[in-house]
């Protein structure tokens, strides 16, 4: 059995300030809707460094002390896609949108009623519930389902 596989690494960060969270209205055709900021980890880049870079590029904010709270994973063809999920309330800078989409603050209650990117409502459990660390897609009888672990 082969113990290695192709992997695509990404990250996402829930930045919060009291009862508000920072969201991005993504304009991507591949994954549109409201989500937390994040992006891809480049080759030889640290996971935390990639997160800080992506958040800055998409929001204009510099985050510090992000806490890894879980992962999301699925397969795209023969590649395992893994998103490292972080949260932090430590940030500085001036909020500004990017070509990725508009960024703005909303309450978690408002978030749940937005036009969210796929899986964002279900993924919220990983960010908020310390007993949940993983969101994974698995194929069962040719039907794709997700599990929270």
């Amino acid at each position: 059995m082969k113990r290695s596989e192709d992997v695509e690494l990404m990250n996402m960060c829930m930045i919060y300030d009291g009862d508000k969270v920072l969201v991005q209205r993504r304009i991507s055709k591949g994954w549109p809707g409201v989500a937390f900021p994040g992006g891809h980890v480049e080759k030889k880049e640290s996971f935390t460094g990639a997160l800080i870079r992506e958040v800055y590029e998409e929001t204009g904010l510099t985050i510090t002390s992000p806490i890894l709270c879980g992962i999301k994973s699925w397969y795209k063809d023969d590649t395992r896609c893994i998103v490292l999920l972080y949260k932090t309330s430590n940030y500085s800078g001036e909020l500004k949108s990017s070509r990725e989409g508009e960024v703005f603050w909303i309450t978690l209650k408002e978030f749940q009623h937005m036009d969210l990117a796929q899986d964002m409502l279900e993924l919220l459990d990983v960010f908020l519930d310390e007993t949940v660390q993983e969101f994974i897609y698995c194929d069962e009888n040719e039907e794709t389902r997700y599990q929270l672990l």
Side-chain angles (χ1 to χ4, degrees):
M1 175 185 224
K2 187 176 177 182
R3 299 184 104 182
S4 63
E5 60 186 339
D6 291 333
V7 176
E8 182 177 349
L9 297 169
M10 293 154 278
N11 56 50
M12 180 182 288
C13 189
M14 182 180 81
I15 304 165
Y16 60 96
D17 190 346
D19 67 339
K20 295 193 181 235
V21 292
L22 182 64
V23 297
Q24 178 181 60
R25 183 172 284 118
R26 297 178 43 83
I27 54 177
S28 164
K29 291 180 184 173
W31 198 55
V34 172
F36 299 136
H40 284 82
V41 177
E42 302 296 335
K43 188 174 182 177
K44 298 187 178 183
E45 187 175 31
S46 73
F47 297 135
T48 303
L51 179 71
I52 292 168
R53 175 186 53 76
E54 283 288 351
V55 168
Y56 180 76
E57 289 173 0
E58 295 184 3
T59 70
L61 300 180
T62 300
I63 61 167
T64 57
S65 306
I67 297 168
L68 181 64
C69 49
I71 61 171
K72 175 183 176 181
S73 67
W74 71 96
Y75 280 91
K76 180 173 60 177
D77 300 320
D78 288 333
T79 300
R80 180 182 281 221
C81 299
I82 299 173
V83 184
L84 302 169
L85 306 171
Y86 295 85
K87 62 183 172 182
T88 188
S89 62
N90 301 306
Y91 64 90
S92 62
E94 184 178 326
L95 187 63
K96 57 185 170 195
S97 298
S98 72
R99 61 184 172 89
E100 300 279 337
E102 175 192 10
V103 290
F104 53 97
W105 293 97
I106 59 173
T107 66
L108 279 172
K109 189 171 188 171
E110 292 170 317
F111 177 81
Q112 296 176 26
H113 300 288
M114 301 290 292
D115 182 18
L116 301 175
Q118 180 182 354
D119 306 326
M120 280 306 300
L121 189 58
E122 296 82 1
L123 199 57
L124 199 54
D125 285 340
V126 182
F127 290 101
L128 300 176
D129 185 342
E130 291 182 7
T131 67
V132 178
Q133 290 86 33
E134 186 172 0
F135 178 108
I136 184 169
Y137 275 105
C138 49
D139 290 326
E140 296 178 7
N141 302 324
E142 297 183 23
E143 188 175 322
T144 303
R145 298 178 184 267
Y146 74 89
Q147 288 182 314
L148 293 172
L149 305 172

